[in-house]
Amino acid sequence: QVQLVESGGGLVQAGGSLRLSCAASERTFSGYNMGWFRQAPGKEREFVAAITWSGRTTYFPDSVKGRFTISRDNAKNTVYLQMNSLKPEDTAIYYCAAADVPLSREASDFSSWGQGTQVTVSS
């Protein structure tokens, strides 16, 4: 498994932006497909974004499409989540995850998880 550490969370006003980073310890990071998920209090974990090892393919749910982008820098073992036009409903703990299976939107397909970073969007 790969160790993942998220950073970049915080408090932002509605309409603002944040960029989350996820640093991986594994030198074979470039072989993993990566994803971001989030979990709000009292709710199930929700898929937010995913990117293939090459960065060529990305997935987003309709709830964030057009507002969030995912990218990666394999030389830095880091994946990013750029979040724009944030809404109060985006408030959650955001988790980075790694998968060594074909790109997926399912949390169960991701074998390594970070500890999460809190994002709070005020109205």
Side-chain angles (χ1 to χ4, degrees):
Q1 290 189 344
V2 58
Q3 293 186 340
L4 303 170
V5 178
E6 302 97 334
S7 62
L11 174 64
V12 64
Q13 289 188 335
S17 299
L18 280 176
R19 188 176 82 154
L20 305 184
S21 299
C22 173
S25 62
E26 182 61 53
R27 285 182 294 177
T28 58
F29 169 78
S30 61
Y32 289 88
N33 294 324
M34 300 298 295
W36 286 94
F37 293 78
R38 66 187 181 188
Q39 189 165 18
K43 295 188 177 181
E44 293 187 353
R45 192 164 294 193
E46 175 188 18
F47 168 70
V48 175
I51 188 168
T52 53
W53 66 270
S54 67
R56 292 194 184 102
T57 301
T58 58
Y59 291 162
F60 300 95
D62 288 343
S63 59
V64 307
K65 196 172 294 183
R67 300 189 298 123
F68 290 11
T69 58
I70 186 171
S71 61
R72 65 191 296 162
D73 185 338
N74 288 339
K76 296 182 178 179
N77 288 355
T78 302
V79 63
Y80 305 96
L81 182 69
Q82 177 67 43
M83 305 185 293
N84 299 327
S85 302
L86 282 162
K87 304 175 181 180
E89 52 263 45
D90 293 318
T91 295
I93 299 175
Y94 283 71
Y95 298 90
C96 172
D100 58 4
V101 297
L103 195 63
S104 171
R105 299 172 175 88
E106 300 296 327
S108 58
D109 288 331
F110 291 79
S111 55
S112 299
W113 292 81
Q115 82 290 347
T117 186
Q118 176 71 47
V119 171
T120 303
V121 185
S122 63
S123 58

